[in-house]
Short mmCIF file of all heavy atoms in Angstrom, two decimals:
data_model
loop_
_atom_site.label_atom_id
_atom_site.label_comp_id
_atom_site.label_asym_id
_atom_site.label_seq_id
_atom_site.Cartn_x
_atom_site.Cartn_y
_atom_site.Cartn_z
N ALA L 306 -25.40 -10.28 15.29
CA ALA L 306 -25.86 -11.60 15.74
C ALA L 306 -26.42 -12.40 14.56
O ALA L 306 -26.21 -13.62 14.47
CB ALA L 306 -26.92 -11.45 16.82
N VAL L 307 -27.11 -11.73 13.64
CA VAL L 307 -27.63 -12.41 12.45
C VAL L 307 -26.48 -12.93 11.59
O VAL L 307 -26.53 -14.07 11.09
CB VAL L 307 -28.52 -11.44 11.63
CG1 VAL L 307 -28.87 -12.05 10.27
CG2 VAL L 307 -29.79 -11.11 12.39
N LEU L 308 -25.44 -12.12 11.43
CA LEU L 308 -24.28 -12.57 10.66
C LEU L 308 -23.61 -13.77 11.32
O LEU L 308 -23.25 -14.75 10.65
CB LEU L 308 -23.27 -11.42 10.52
CG LEU L 308 -23.67 -10.27 9.59
CD1 LEU L 308 -22.65 -9.14 9.66
CD2 LEU L 308 -23.81 -10.75 8.15
N LEU L 309 -23.44 -13.72 12.64
CA LEU L 309 -22.84 -14.85 13.35
C LEU L 309 -23.69 -16.10 13.23
O LEU L 309 -23.17 -17.21 13.03
CB LEU L 309 -22.64 -14.50 14.83
CG LEU L 309 -21.31 -13.87 15.23
CD1 LEU L 309 -21.32 -13.56 16.72
CD2 LEU L 309 -20.16 -14.80 14.88
N ALA L 310 -25.00 -15.93 13.33
CA ALA L 310 -25.91 -17.07 13.21
C ALA L 310 -25.81 -17.69 11.82
O ALA L 310 -25.88 -18.92 11.66
CB ALA L 310 -27.34 -16.63 13.50
N SER L 311 -25.63 -16.84 10.80
CA SER L 311 -25.51 -17.36 9.44
C SER L 311 -24.22 -18.15 9.28
O SER L 311 -24.18 -19.16 8.56
CB SER L 311 -25.55 -16.20 8.42
OG SER L 311 -24.40 -15.39 8.52
N PHE L 312 -23.16 -17.73 9.98
CA PHE L 312 -21.91 -18.48 9.93
C PHE L 312 -22.07 -19.85 10.58
O PHE L 312 -21.60 -20.86 10.04
CB PHE L 312 -20.78 -17.70 10.63
CG PHE L 312 -19.47 -18.43 10.65
CD1 PHE L 312 -18.67 -18.47 9.53
CD2 PHE L 312 -19.05 -19.09 11.80
CE1 PHE L 312 -17.45 -19.15 9.53
CE2 PHE L 312 -17.84 -19.77 11.81
CZ PHE L 312 -17.05 -19.80 10.68
N VAL L 313 -22.73 -19.88 11.72
CA VAL L 313 -22.98 -21.16 12.41
C VAL L 313 -23.82 -22.08 11.53
O VAL L 313 -23.54 -23.28 11.40
CB VAL L 313 -23.66 -20.92 13.77
CG1 VAL L 313 -24.08 -22.25 14.41
CG2 VAL L 313 -22.73 -20.16 14.71
N ALA L 314 -24.87 -21.52 10.91
CA ALA L 314 -25.75 -22.31 10.06
C ALA L 314 -25.00 -22.86 8.85
O ALA L 314 -25.18 -24.03 8.47
CB ALA L 314 -26.94 -21.46 9.60
N TYR L 315 -24.16 -22.04 8.23
CA TYR L 315 -23.40 -22.48 7.07
C TYR L 315 -22.42 -23.59 7.45
O TYR L 315 -22.29 -24.59 6.73
CB TYR L 315 -22.66 -21.29 6.46
CG TYR L 315 -21.69 -21.67 5.36
CD1 TYR L 315 -22.15 -22.10 4.11
CD2 TYR L 315 -20.31 -21.61 5.57
CE1 TYR L 315 -21.27 -22.46 3.11
CE2 TYR L 315 -19.42 -21.96 4.56
CZ TYR L 315 -19.91 -22.39 3.34
OH TYR L 315 -19.03 -22.75 2.35
N THR L 316 -21.73 -23.41 8.58
CA THR L 316 -20.78 -24.43 9.03
C THR L 316 -21.51 -25.74 9.33
O THR L 316 -21.02 -26.82 8.99
CB THR L 316 -20.03 -23.96 10.29
OG1 THR L 316 -19.38 -22.69 10.00
CG2 THR L 316 -18.99 -24.96 10.73
N ALA L 317 -22.69 -25.64 9.95
CA ALA L 317 -23.49 -26.84 10.23
C ALA L 317 -23.90 -27.52 8.93
O ALA L 317 -23.93 -28.76 8.84
CB ALA L 317 -24.72 -26.47 11.05
N TRP L 318 -24.22 -26.72 7.92
CA TRP L 318 -24.58 -27.26 6.60
C TRP L 318 -23.42 -28.03 6.01
O TRP L 318 -23.59 -29.13 5.46
CB TRP L 318 -24.97 -26.09 5.69
CG TRP L 318 -25.54 -26.48 4.35
CD1 TRP L 318 -25.82 -27.73 3.89
CD2 TRP L 318 -25.90 -25.57 3.29
NE1 TRP L 318 -26.34 -27.67 2.61
CE2 TRP L 318 -26.39 -26.36 2.22
CE3 TRP L 318 -25.85 -24.18 3.15
CZ2 TRP L 318 -26.82 -25.80 1.03
CZ3 TRP L 318 -26.27 -23.64 1.96
CH2 TRP L 318 -26.77 -24.43 0.91
N LEU L 319 -22.20 -27.49 6.13
CA LEU L 319 -21.02 -28.19 5.63
C LEU L 319 -20.80 -29.51 6.37
O LEU L 319 -20.52 -30.54 5.75
CB LEU L 319 -19.78 -27.30 5.78
CG LEU L 319 -19.64 -26.12 4.84
CD1 LEU L 319 -18.41 -25.30 5.22
CD2 LEU L 319 -19.52 -26.58 3.39
N VAL L 320 -20.92 -29.48 7.69
CA VAL L 320 -20.74 -30.69 8.49
C VAL L 320 -21.78 -31.74 8.11
O VAL L 320 -21.47 -32.93 7.95
CB VAL L 320 -20.81 -30.37 10.00
CG1 VAL L 320 -20.81 -31.65 10.83
CG2 VAL L 320 -19.65 -29.47 10.41
N TYR L 321 -23.02 -31.30 7.97
CA TYR L 321 -24.10 -32.22 7.58
C TYR L 321 -23.85 -32.84 6.21
O TYR L 321 -24.10 -34.02 5.99
CB TYR L 321 -25.44 -31.49 7.58
CG TYR L 321 -26.61 -32.35 7.13
CD1 TYR L 321 -27.18 -33.28 8.00
CD2 TYR L 321 -27.11 -32.24 5.83
CE1 TYR L 321 -28.24 -34.08 7.59
CE2 TYR L 321 -28.17 -33.04 5.40
CZ TYR L 321 -28.73 -33.95 6.29
OH TYR L 321 -29.76 -34.75 5.87
N SER L 322 -23.31 -32.02 5.29
CA SER L 322 -23.05 -32.54 3.94
C SER L 322 -21.97 -33.61 3.98
O SER L 322 -21.99 -34.57 3.20
CB SER L 322 -22.64 -31.39 3.00
OG SER L 322 -21.36 -30.86 3.37
N VAL L 323 -21.00 -33.46 4.89
CA VAL L 323 -19.94 -34.46 5.02
C VAL L 323 -20.49 -35.74 5.64
O VAL L 323 -20.23 -36.86 5.17
CB VAL L 323 -18.78 -33.92 5.89
CG1 VAL L 323 -17.78 -35.03 6.20
CG2 VAL L 323 -18.09 -32.77 5.18
#
Side-chain angles (χ1 to χ4, degrees):
V307 170
L308 289 174
L309 269 179
S311 68
F312 178 78
V313 172
Y315 172 71
T316 304
W318 188 4
L319 287 175
V320 173
Y321 177 78
S322 68
V323 172

